[in-house]
Amino acid sequence: MKKIISLALAVVMVLSMGMFMTGCGGDTESDGLVVKAVLSTNLGDKSFNDSAKLGIDNLAAAGFDASVVECNANADLFEQNLRSAADVADIIVGVGSELDMIGTVANDYPDKKFVWVDNVMDDLEKYPNLTCISYKQNEGSYLVGWVAGKMTESNVVGFIGGMDIPVINDFYAGYAQGAKDANPDVKVVKNYTGDWSDTNLGAECGQALAAQGADIIFCCGGGSGTGAILKAEELGIKCIGVDQDMRITMPDYADYIICSMIKDVGLSIEGLVTKVAEDPEANWTGGEVFYAGMGDNYVGAAFGGPDQEVLVPQEIIDELDPIKEKVVAGELVVDTAL
Amino acid sequence: MWDQITALFTVGLFQNTIRNATPVVLAAMGGLFTEHAGIMNIGMDGMILIGAFVAVVFSFLFASAPMGVLFAVIIGIAIGLFFALFVVKLKADEFVIGTTVNIFAGGVTVYLLRSVFHQVGTWVSKDIKGLAPIDIPILKDIPVIGEVLSGYSLFVYLSWVFVILVWIFLYRTPYGFWIRAAGEHPSALETAGIDPVRMKFLASVLCGIFCGLAGAHLSLGYLNCFTEGMSASRGFIAFACVVFGMANPPKVFGAALLFGFLQALGLRLQSVGVPSDLTAAVPYLTTVLMLVYITVSANTKKRNRAKKEMKAEEAETAELAEPSA
């Protein structure tokens, strides 16, 4: 009896797998290019990853067969998911600094195109079918640093980083420079949570920075950074969001977010893929870095949705445009940690 | 430099210590029951995570924090029973079941959050009602001490009361005695006519309740939100505190406080220029060092006691031998 049941179960499993696979096969037959984004962590950070998802959704709306795969920070899945994506997709987008094996995978699939977001491979020129998107987050951070420097009343502004890593420090470098240029008396204090999802720890960082006098805090800690925003009312601080316009993604707390530094991961993925689809030969930057800067609005500052009251005085917002022009023209060089 | 370091010792540091310690204390109070009952429970982290999730869900549905807490406790009982069913009744490997609980908790909370509530990552809503902070009359008016000891959610004070209650329960009531006996010498307990299996079930359910409370505190006691994986290994830290405090409630409480203090201090040491990677490791490094110290000192104590007993025995035999000589 047991044998019959287990046999039946095995048959069912094999059949369902077969059906699942044919299901997958059907997907690839659509007309547009197949784009798969592999996230090393997961959706829901209300910033970086969700922004990538937005770009992929826009691509899907534009007729591409685009979708997202999450690895939930499970290191075993990184390479597997990249490879399974490469089996079916034309363009594979790796999102997350942990996906450093993307070069090896790219070598094994020479006729596919790979994009690694927000990280630059050391020996990138060796991978003709891999391009790395590098953001000028220091430039965008300069703008919000300027706003913070102008708006602080205590002359102390804070910074919460997820980890002490070059990308996060690049945010800090631009932010600190912007704040100091706007207000020479300003002092910048920082704290790293060392964790991307411990919300309580982010709130504790907020308190530690507020205790040092900070009244405006730039939250660059993913999910842990949102902790400071949740506690902003009690601590008497205002926060600056990151990656996405957090006044829109966290509308309940829009009163405590003065602005957000936009690192439009989605827009850059969208822009790159659309360009490549138009002309795969000329627009493909394989083996080179694709710099996403202020010129194409891939980084910048945002002040909330159209129906939200803007918390930053208009005269400060007006000051930002000349700064943008200077940065794009190369007259103003922003500090970098990369 | 010295000024900078003394400037770290603010009221915020001690408030942070207590807030860090509370979920760990609550979970550890549960963990020491299973520890006494002879079950190695590494599933506490998962129990906390599920408790945190359920608390937020029911606080959201009923717009009431107490309902959230109530359901976190109920689900805690359910997981406690589940755990005991497999570990005690069906004699499955406790390590495997503990790991299962942790993985299951990580998966099921994310799945339900996304499929039922259509929230990804962090669930923030004004409809999630948290536990209001309570000021203790009189105490709150004392400068510094009042600020450090007053103004938390109910759970913080409850955790202090629980430390005493759990101690009384374990060492001054028959049930506590039976739970300890179930772990140390089950056959003796059986001879006395008490079923050790039932005592182990009781310990496991109590552990579930405390972990549920710890989870509810984590999600409703301070921030009123749920983040995927928000237990952030606190269950393991609680387990370390149980081992560390030799499953004695006041000692476990001390261990949790020490841990919370080091974490809070580490955060602030960054402002003096200590690298954040190092400060993040401080609590764990201390845990390892203290564990080594405790094991070594316990061993020396044992050895000394054995030596003393041997000497006493020798003396006794000598005394006995003398008259005959």
Side-chain angles (χ1 to χ4, degrees):
Chain A
M1 189 61 197
K2 257 190 185 166
K3 271 185 187 169
I4 295 174
I5 291 177
S6 48
L7 193 70
L9 268 176
V11 169
V12 169
M13 278 167 78
V14 169
L15 278 180
S16 60
M17 252 170 88
M19 281 165 78
F20 179 66
M21 281 161 122
T22 48
C24 285
D27 285 348
T28 58
E29 281 164 23
S30 82
D31 310 329
L33 279 175
V34 182
V35 183
K36 272 206 183 296
V38 179
L39 308 184
S40 62
T41 51
N42 47 275
L43 291 170
D45 55 355
K46 305 215 189 301
S47 55
F48 194 79
N49 290 345
D50 287 357
S51 171
K53 172 83 163 68
L54 202 67
I56 293 294
D57 287 349
N58 287 342
L59 284 174
F64 291 93
D65 180 1
S67 55
V68 172
V69 186
E70 296 167 83
C71 300
N72 297 319
N74 182 348
D76 298 340
L77 291 178
F78 296 161
E79 188 162 345
Q80 271 181 39
N81 280 348
L82 282 173
R83 284 182 188 277
S84 346
D87 284 335
V88 295
D90 303 304
I91 300 179
I92 300 92
V93 184
V95 181
S97 57
E98 296 92 338
L99 300 174
D100 49 4
M101 69 297 289
I102 194 166
T104 327
V105 180
N107 269 342
D108 292 348
Y109 293 83
D111 50 337
K112 301 291 173 84
K113 292 188 168 61
F114 289 79
V115 181
W116 195 17
V117 175
D118 203 21
N119 289 279
V120 176
M121 196 75 88
D122 292 334
D123 43 0
L124 185 60
E125 63 282 354
K126 285 187 196 155
Y127 305 95
N129 59 332
L130 171 67
T131 185
C132 294
I133 304 184
S134 175
Y135 296 87
K136 303 274 193 175
Q137 55 260 343
N138 55 336
E139 296 180 359
S141 302
Y142 184 92
L143 297 181
V144 295
W146 180 277
V147 173
K150 286 280 179 192
M151 286 186 71
T152 176
E153 284 164 9
S154 60
N155 280 343
V156 182
V157 296
F159 175 90
I160 297 178
M163 272 176 196
D164 193 354
I165 53 174
V167 176
I168 291 298
N169 289 329
D170 200 33
F171 280 96
Y172 176 76
Y175 177 70
Q177 193 190 358
K180 280 179 183 145
D181 283 356
N183 179 354
D185 299 328
V186 89
K187 187 181 156 204
V188 188
V189 288
K190 64 174 171 176
N191 240 170
Y192 298 95
T193 57
D195 193 303
W196 301 104
S197 64
D198 194 333
T199 330
N200 287 34
L201 200 54
E204 300 296 359
C205 279
Q207 196 195 23
L209 294 176
Q212 294 175 54
D215 60 348
I216 295 178
I217 294 177
F218 185 23
C219 305
C220 290
S224 63
T226 47
I229 299 174
L230 296 179
K231 269 287 155 203
E233 182 180 10
E234 192 179 300
L235 296 173
I237 54 169
K238 300 279 186 204
C239 294
I240 297 174
V242 76
D243 296 345
Q244 277 188 316
D245 192 337
M246 285 187 150
R247 300 197 71 200
I248 296 173
T249 54
M250 292 175 71
D252 284 351
Y253 293 87
D255 290 347
Y256 307 105
I257 305 170
I258 53 172
C259 59
S260 300
M261 179 263 162
I262 303 287
K263 176 166 163 179
D264 208 326
V265 180
L267 191 66
S268 63
I269 295 175
E270 212 184 315
L272 180 67
V273 171
T274 319
K275 275 184 195 167
V276 170
E278 277 166 11
D279 188 349
E281 296 303 317
N283 290 335
W284 174 244
T285 55
E288 289 168 35
V289 178
F290 180 88
Y291 285 104
M294 203 123 69
D296 297 311
N297 284 327
Y298 292 144
V299 295
F303 302 92
D307 50 344
Q308 283 173 323
E309 185 201 349
V310 178
L311 297 181
V312 180
Q314 189 59 41
E315 62 262 29
I316 299 179
I317 297 180
D318 290 340
E319 286 168 3
L320 298 180
D321 283 329
I323 297 176
K324 269 188 215 166
E325 280 163 24
K326 270 192 208 166
V327 172
V328 173
E331 289 165 29
L332 174 65
V333 181
V334 182
D335 293 343
T336 177
L338 293 179
Chain B
M1 180 70 190
W2 184 244
D3 289 347
Q4 273 180 312
I5 290 177
T6 48
L8 296 178
F9 288 83
T10 56
V11 171
L13 173 71
F14 294 101
Q15 288 175 334
N16 190 347
T17 301
I18 290 174
R19 278 197 299 262
N20 281 345
T22 302
V24 176
V25 170
L26 286 170
M29 286 303 123
L32 59 83
F33 281 113
T34 43
E35 184 72 14
H36 275 299
I39 304 168
M40 189 171 128
N41 186 356
I42 61 155
M44 283 192 282
D45 201 53
M47 294 182 182
I48 296 174
L49 190 59
I50 291 183
F53 179 69
V54 169
V56 160
V57 167
F58 285 92
S59 167
F60 175 77
L61 292 179
F62 291 98
S64 142
M67 288 306 277
V69 176
L70 179 70
F71 277 90
V73 168
I74 292 174
I75 207 80
I77 294 173
I79 306 173
L81 282 173
F82 169 87
F83 189 78
L85 177 70
F86 278 90
V87 172
V88 182
K89 195 89 186 170
L90 302 175
K91 297 199 166 56
D93 188 287
E94 53 208 6
F95 200 81
V96 173
I97 299 299
T99 313
T100 310
V101 170
N102 289 337
I103 296 174
F104 172 73
V108 78
T109 51
V110 169
Y111 173 71
L112 291 177
L113 187 69
R114 295 183 182 194
S115 62
V116 181
F117 299 98
H118 306 291
Q119 299 284 334
V120 186
T122 309
W123 184 12
V124 179
S125 164
K126 288 271 187 215
D127 292 328
I128 301 172
K129 299 284 178 244
L131 297 153
I134 297 172
D135 281 319
I136 301 178
I138 308 173
L139 188 66
K140 77 169 171 18
D141 299 322
I142 307 171
V144 186
I145 296 177
E147 278 180 80
V148 171
L149 294 181
S150 174
Y152 303 102
S153 77
L154 179 67
F155 277 116
V156 175
Y157 311 118
L158 272 185
S159 72
W160 301 342
V161 177
F162 279 139
V163 172
I164 302 164
L165 288 183
V166 168
W167 186 84
I168 294 173
F169 181 85
L170 272 178
Y171 294 103
R172 291 290 179 274
T173 67
Y175 274 97
F177 183 74
W178 294 335
I179 285 182
R180 286 187 291 139
E184 272 173 34
H185 216 301
S187 50
L189 196 60
E190 228 162 331
T191 320
I194 289 150
D195 185 5
V197 170
R198 271 183 61 192
M199 287 304 126
K200 287 188 179 194
F201 260 85
L202 177 66
S204 178
V205 167
L206 283 169
C207 178
I209 292 174
F210 276 107
C211 287
L213 286 176
H217 171 73
L218 202 59
S219 59
L220 298 179
Y222 186 48
L223 283 180
N224 316 340
C225 74
F226 179 81
T227 313
E228 289 174 10
M230 85 181 299
S231 56
S233 301
R234 285 181 175 84
F236 294 103
I237 295 167
F239 184 70
C241 287
V242 169
V243 177
F244 200 57
M246 290 167 286
N248 184 321
K251 285 183 191 168
V252 170
F253 180 65
L257 271 185
L258 177 72
F259 197 86
F261 175 74
L262 290 170
Q263 204 182 20
L265 186 68
L267 214 60
R268 283 160 175 81
L269 276 178
Q270 289 178 19
S271 67
V272 200
V274 181
S276 70
D277 302 327
L278 197 67
T279 62
V282 163
Y284 306 95
L285 270 176
T286 331
T287 311
V288 172
L289 288 177
M290 291 294 276
L291 274 178
V292 169
Y293 169 76
I294 284 177
T295 326
V296 170
S297 71
N299 272 344
T300 10
K301 239 186 223 169
K302 237 187 244 169
R303 215 172 295 140
N304 285 345
R305 203 189 300 150
K307 261 184 205 162
K308 228 186 241 167
E309 270 171 25
M310 248 164 75
K311 258 185 201 161
E313 222 165 272
E314 268 170 24
E316 229 170 78
T317 40
E319 255 174 49
L320 284 174
E322 250 171 43
S324 67

